[in-house]
Amino acid sequence: MNDNPVFELEFNLEKPDKKKADYFETNLKLKPKQVFNKIEELKKKNEAVFSFLLFKSYPDKQFDNTDYTYSAKSYKVYDIKKTKELLEAPRSVVDLHIEKLSNDWRHLSNFEIMTIQLKAFEKYYDLSLAHFQASFIVIHGVGSGKLRDEIHELLKQRSDVKTFVNQYDAWFGYGATEIFFQY
């Protein structure tokens, strides 16, 4: 408990709702005093489990039509100062396993699956850059290594990548690559 553990949590709705956010990320930072107080409560109440509130309600999707105007050709023109607010929230970890990206993937060919996975990678890679994240973890799995190799080839061509590493991790094994950015 000396290291003050941090638990990073991701939430997705089981059944998508147009009014709710597609994704929500939060973290829980535990301090030793909090944990020991919870343990004392457990002893007094003779209970086996304690919990921490992560959020009160799942956040709504942000709709704000006042941040842009229409030009003469009916294109949306955004206020550059507010563009970051309009972007989707970044993720620190993205899982590219196809079952996490698509519900109806069993009929797809390997090429179609790889295309979906690479599009998701590009999307979250760009969001990480737009939000100036220091690093980003991509879970590609172990398998035959084709997705990993494709991602590594893309990363080698990017000037904003300081370095990337696919080393053993306690959570992901060898199935994830951590990317470090330079700005």
Side-chain angles (χ1 to χ4, degrees):
M1 287 306 301
N2 293 339
D3 294 337
N4 295 336
V6 176
F7 298 92
E8 294 182 1
L9 305 154
E10 299 177 1
F11 298 94
N12 292 320
L13 293 175
E14 194 171 279
K15 295 181 180 177
D17 184 349
K18 291 180 181 178
K19 295 180 183 178
K20 297 292 183 180
D22 297 328
Y23 171 81
F24 179 66
E25 187 175 302
T26 187
N27 61 39
L28 173 66
K29 297 177 184 177
L30 293 179
K31 296 180 181 171
K33 188 174 182 178
Q34 288 176 309
V35 175
F36 293 123
N37 286 341
K38 289 283 189 178
I39 292 171
E40 288 302 316
E41 286 179 34
L42 287 176
K43 288 178 183 177
K44 289 178 186 175
K45 295 179 181 178
N46 198 22
E47 294 178 347
V49 177
F50 63 86
S51 62
F52 290 93
L53 181 65
L54 298 174
F55 57 91
K56 291 183 181 180
S57 65
Y58 196 83
D60 292 330
K61 189 176 269 188
Q62 298 295 319
F63 295 105
D64 189 5
N65 294 332
T66 60
D67 290 337
Y68 61 85
T69 58
Y70 287 99
S71 69
K73 293 185 178 182
S74 297
Y75 294 110
K76 291 181 181 178
V77 179
Y78 292 92
D79 181 359
I80 193 71
K81 296 174 188 168
K82 297 182 180 181
T83 54
K84 191 172 178 181
E85 297 169 13
L86 296 171
L87 292 175
E88 185 179 329
R91 294 186 183 187
S92 54
V93 178
V94 171
D95 191 345
L96 295 181
H97 285 93
I98 191 64
E99 56 271 8
K100 301 281 185 176
L101 300 174
S102 174
N103 293 331
D104 188 27
W105 59 272
R106 286 178 175 42
H107 71 282
L108 299 174
S109 69
N110 289 341
F111 176 76
E112 292 169 324
I113 290 172
M114 178 84 75
T115 302
I116 291 169
Q117 291 170 318
L118 289 174
K119 282 184 181 180
F121 166 73
E122 292 283 345
K123 173 185 174 182
Y124 292 109
Y125 176 89
D126 291 341
L127 280 170
S128 295
L129 288 175
H131 286 280
F132 297 100
Q133 285 183 259
S135 66
F136 173 59
I137 297 175
V138 178
I139 303 171
H140 44 67
V142 179
S144 63
K146 289 181 182 178
L147 180 60
R148 179 198 63 220
D149 293 344
E150 286 290 327
I151 290 171
H152 287 191
E153 283 302 315
L154 288 171
L155 293 174
K156 287 176 187 176
Q157 300 169 7
R158 304 292 175 101
S159 62
D160 40 29
V161 173
K162 183 177 183 180
T163 186
F164 61 92
V165 63
N166 181 25
Q167 63 187 12
Y168 182 79
D169 185 274
W171 287 8
F172 314 118
Y174 288 103
T177 297
E178 187 168 8
I179 304 161
F180 299 94
F181 298 108
Q182 61 186 8
Y183 294 100

